[in-house]
Amino acid sequence: MREILNDICAWTEPFAMATVVRTWKSSPRPPGAAMAVDGAGQVVGSVSGGCVEGDLYLRCQEALATGTPALVRYGVSDDEAFEIGLTCGGVLDVFIHRIDPRTQPLERLAAAVEGREPAVMATVVDGSGTGAQVLIVGGDRYGSTGNASLDRAVVTDALGLLEHGTNALVHLGSEGERRKEDVAVFVESFAAPPRMLIFGAIDFAAALARLGSFLGYYVTVCDARSLFATEARFPEADEVVVDWPHKYLRAARIDQRTVICVLTHDPKFDVPVLKEALKTDAAYIGVMGSRRTHADRHRRLREQGITEAQLARLSSPIGLDLGARTPEETAVSIGAEIIAHRTGATGRPLSELSTSIHRLVSDSTQRHALLTHRLP
């Protein structure tokens, strides 16, 4: 829903929402992808990139007219692939229901997302209370499933998923019991976006800041040189900081979704900041420089007490082998490596592989298994 939230918040009359709540195999969009249709027939968003939107449009109009929610499964078979199915071979469950913005806290959710305040929305998609929604922002709860015991269980699971920034389908008993399947609740997390920290106010950093913003990161550019670290040079960055990189990083908020890109390739900058970076839980640490610079950097870091295991965390030279030369091409190379690192993908051409195109992220799969009790 995040990608269409601003659009639907502008609607003042009831509308219908179709949300992907579960996927299997090579589904084109992940859980949380959404499409909305208003009373005038206006459409925003997408759940499959075009495969099933035509059928969903009609179902949304029906839900808008009747107020009756529906949980629909789309798959593929030889005889339906080019009718109402997913030609990619995936399977997805889509929940369709009517939303009245006058009675549901969409504005509160939008304000939380705009202010980078963690929020989570839980929607009952099957079982008693289907269509009921519970929004949690900070210590406040809006809405109810209609059952206090179920509310407590939903809030507990929703906050757990929010902590990891994941979406999932949770199965519970009618009174919130574990290991039962009376009620299915789709939990959508609206965690603050992951951070991309770029050290070195150079032209490559400007291109990477643009790409990082496009990929959904909250981008910070940091450099000790005030002449170069200016908002005018980095309009796509969310913040530009004038400080020594290692001092800034020492006090920065870093989590397991943070990516760190060191583009200074100057020992007086990158050795101290890398020493700090390797103390963090950052998901990715990439460093720009030639192979000679890379070898010298490793020598200097070893002299600072950095172990071989720590050095193995560094992606250096930074980026995938795309033959990149311009700042923009280099940014694509770095962005591609970050995505491959996050998903555990190979970075090889898909034409050379026989694995699923839309693979699951291994860490997320483990988190879902721990937090949602059941997986297909």
Side-chain angles (χ1 to χ4, degrees), residues 20-34:
V20 177
V21 298
R22 205 177 198 184
T23 66
W24 292 266
K25 299 181 181 178
S26 187
S27 298
R29 302 294 307 280

Side-chain angles (χ1 to χ4, degrees), residues 10 33 38 53 59 115 117 121-122 127-128 135 145 160 180 250 268 293 326 336:
D38 70 2
E53 273 73 0
R59 291 179 182 270
E117 186 179 5
M121 178 75 85
S128 178
L135 171 66
T145 64
K180 290 192 175 182
R250 190 177 297 154
K268 68 175 179 290
T293 300
T326 68

Side-chain angles (χ1 to χ4, degrees), residues 31 42 44 78 81 84 157 202 256 270 301 318 338 346 368:
Q42 180 180 353
V44 294
D78 291 340
I84 304 171
D157 284 357
I202 61 176
Q256 294 179 350
D270 58 22
L301 287 168
I318 196 171
I338 289 171
T346 66
H368 283 251

Side-chain angles (χ1 to χ4, degrees), residues 193-196 198 205-219 236-238 259 331 335 338:
R195 302 191 68 190
M196 174 181 282
I198 303 173
L208 183 57
R210 288 195 296 274
L211 183 69
S213 178
F214 178 76
L215 292 176
Y217 287 94
Y218 183 89
V219 179
E236 302 295 332
D238 293 285
V259 300
I338 289 171

Side-chain angles (χ1 to χ4, degrees), residues 1 19-22 30-33 95 119-125 132-136 145 150-151 153-172 178 183-191 368 371-373:
M1 187 200 306
T19 305
V20 177
V21 298
R22 205 177 198 184
F95 181 64
V120 60
M121 178 75 85
T123 304
V124 179
V125 301
Q133 292 187 302
V134 177
L135 171 66
I136 306 165
T145 64
L150 182 57
D151 281 348
V154 167
V155 169
T156 297
D157 284 357
L159 291 177
L161 287 164
L162 177 61
E163 182 179 350
H164 295 286
T166 54
N167 303 335
L169 195 64
V170 176
H171 291 88
L172 297 165
R178 308 298 178 187
V183 179
V185 182
F186 179 64
V187 179
E188 185 171 7
S189 298
F190 296 85
H368 283 251
L371 294 167
T372 62
H373 319 300

Side-chain angles (χ1 to χ4, degrees), residues 261-285:
C261 301
V262 180
L263 309 185
T264 52
H265 52 80
D266 182 334
K268 68 175 179 290
F269 289 109
D270 58 22
V271 171
V273 75
L274 288 173
K275 186 177 179 181
E276 292 296 329
L278 289 169
K279 297 176 183 177
T280 72
D281 293 328
Y284 169 91
I285 306 171

Side-chain angles (χ1 to χ4, degrees), residues 166 256 341-343 360-369:
T166 54
Q256 294 179 350
H341 187 87
R342 173 173 56 82
T343 61
L360 291 173
V361 181
S362 57
D363 286 347
S364 294
T365 303
Q366 293 171 6
R367 290 168 184 160
H368 283 251

Side-chain angles (χ1 to χ4, degrees), residues 123-358:
T123 304
V124 179
V125 301
D126 194 24
S128 178
T130 296
Q133 292 187 302
V134 177
L135 171 66
I136 306 165
V137 182
D140 298 324
R141 191 188 81 191
Y142 306 84
S144 171
T145 64
N147 181 306
S149 297
L150 182 57
D151 281 348
R152 285 191 291 270
V154 167
V155 169
T156 297
D157 284 357
L159 291 177
L161 287 164
L162 177 61
E163 182 179 350
H164 295 286
T166 54
N167 303 335
L169 195 64
V170 176
H171 291 88
L172 297 165
S174 59
E175 296 294 324
E177 305 96 325
R178 308 298 178 187
R179 302 182 182 278
K180 290 192 175 182
E181 299 186 19
D182 302 321
V183 179
V185 182
F186 179 64
V187 179
E188 185 171 7
S189 298
F190 296 85
R195 302 191 68 190
M196 174 181 282
L197 305 181
I198 303 173
F199 296 104
I202 61 176
D203 50 356
F204 289 92
L208 183 57
R210 288 195 296 274
L211 183 69
S213 178
F214 178 76
L215 292 176
Y217 287 94
Y218 183 89
V219 179
T220 298
V221 176
C222 176
D223 197 299
R225 301 166 296 180
S226 58
L227 179 64
F228 298 105
T230 65
E231 293 182 1
R233 295 190 67 225
F234 299 96
E236 302 295 332
D238 293 285
E239 62 177 353
V240 179
V241 176
V242 179
D243 197 356
W244 281 85
H246 68 285
K247 292 182 178 179
Y248 172 79
L249 187 57
R250 190 177 297 154
R253 177 181 55 81
I254 308 297
D255 61 26
Q256 294 179 350
R257 300 185 300 152
T258 303
V259 300
I260 298 174
C261 301
V262 180
L263 309 185
T264 52
H265 52 80
D266 182 334
K268 68 175 179 290
F269 289 109
D270 58 22
V271 171
V273 75
L274 288 173
K275 186 177 179 181
E276 292 296 329
L278 289 169
K279 297 176 183 177
T280 72
D281 293 328
Y284 169 91
I285 306 171
V287 198
M288 179 174 279
S290 67
R291 298 189 188 281
R292 178 181 296 178
T293 300
H294 168 73
D296 180 66
R297 181 186 297 126
H298 271 212
R299 178 184 62 79
R300 292 172 184 269
L301 287 168
R302 289 189 187 97
E303 292 173 353
Q304 294 288 321
I306 300 301
T307 67
E308 295 302 318
Q310 289 176 305
L311 289 175
R313 293 182 61 195
L314 300 180
S315 294
S316 177
I318 196 171
L320 296 184
D321 178 22
L322 303 183
R325 292 186 178 276
T326 68
E328 290 73 21
E329 290 175 344
T330 302
V332 171
S333 168
I334 297 170
E337 183 178 48
I338 289 171
I339 294 170
H341 187 87
R342 173 173 56 82
T343 61
T346 66
R348 293 169 54 197
L350 289 172
S351 60
E352 295 179 0
L353 304 174
S354 58
T355 54
S356 173
I357 295 174
H358 302 289

